[in-house]
Amino acid sequence: MAAAKWGTDSPIDDPAREQQVLDTVAAQAQQIGADPDEIRAVFRDQIEANKTVQRALFRRWTAHPDEAPTTKPDLSVVRQTINRINTGLVTALADTTPERSSAVCRPELALAVVEVHHEKHPDLLHTGALVRSLMTVCR
């Protein structure tokens, strides 16, 4: 998302787009019998984590222009991909409600974050964003 917005008029904070995403996932949740407020909360965390990454990358690229992307993905294509992923995530959240309600959810989620960090080696920015994005996954 950051690369698609870099050097354009597209803002990092886009309340109208954020509301559209939240309304869409809440409606999808309701259609499949999941709690729309719970799904909305998880997606709010996803959005906030994404904006944190975008802001940090913009600061990095401003300070080090040689690290900035030289090509830009089409924002509408990126959003279509995100919409597709979001639909799958709504379903996955609905399907895992019992697991996400269990006492072991938080420790298992923390272990999963550690595993991702060790296997994928994301930088601290992306590891922090992952943690932020998962704050309301466990009920």
Side-chain angles (χ1 to χ4, degrees):
M1 186 60 71
K5 290 182 177 181
W6 177 250
T8 71
D9 292 338
S10 297
I12 291 173
D13 290 279
D14 187 348
R17 170 66 180 162
E18 293 169 27
Q19 191 62 52
Q20 178 187 30
V21 169
L22 295 173
D23 290 346
T24 298
V25 298
Q28 290 172 342
Q30 193 160 19
Q31 288 174 351
I32 61 174
D35 181 347
D37 293 331
E38 180 183 340
I39 299 300
R40 188 184 300 270
V42 171
F43 276 86
R44 168 58 56 204
D45 288 342
Q46 299 286 315
I47 290 168
E48 292 305 318
N50 184 281
K51 291 191 301 186
T52 297
V53 170
Q54 288 182 57
R55 286 185 194 103
L57 290 175
F58 274 38
R59 285 191 302 271
R60 181 183 304 165
W61 297 337
T62 299
H64 304 282
D66 56 307
E67 295 178 17
T70 56
T71 60
K72 293 182 188 1
D74 183 314
L75 185 58
S76 65
V77 173
V78 172
R79 285 183 171 161
Q80 288 173 5
T81 301
I82 289 170
N83 290 343
R84 221 176 16 260
I85 292 168
N86 287 354
T87 298
L89 185 53
V90 168
T91 301
L93 289 165
D95 291 346
T96 58
T97 298
E99 293 87 351
R100 292 182 307 100
S101 301
S102 76
V104 297
C105 182
R106 289 198 190 286
E108 287 181 349
L109 197 56
L111 180 59
V113 168
V114 170
E115 289 174 356
V116 166
H117 185 73
H118 287 294
E119 290 175 14
K120 303 293 184 183
H121 308 289
D123 58 21
L124 290 178
L125 169 63
H126 288 87
T127 299
L130 175 60
V131 170
R132 173 65 178 96
S133 73
L134 300 172
M135 289 181 63
T136 55
V137 167
C138 296
R139 300 175 74 187

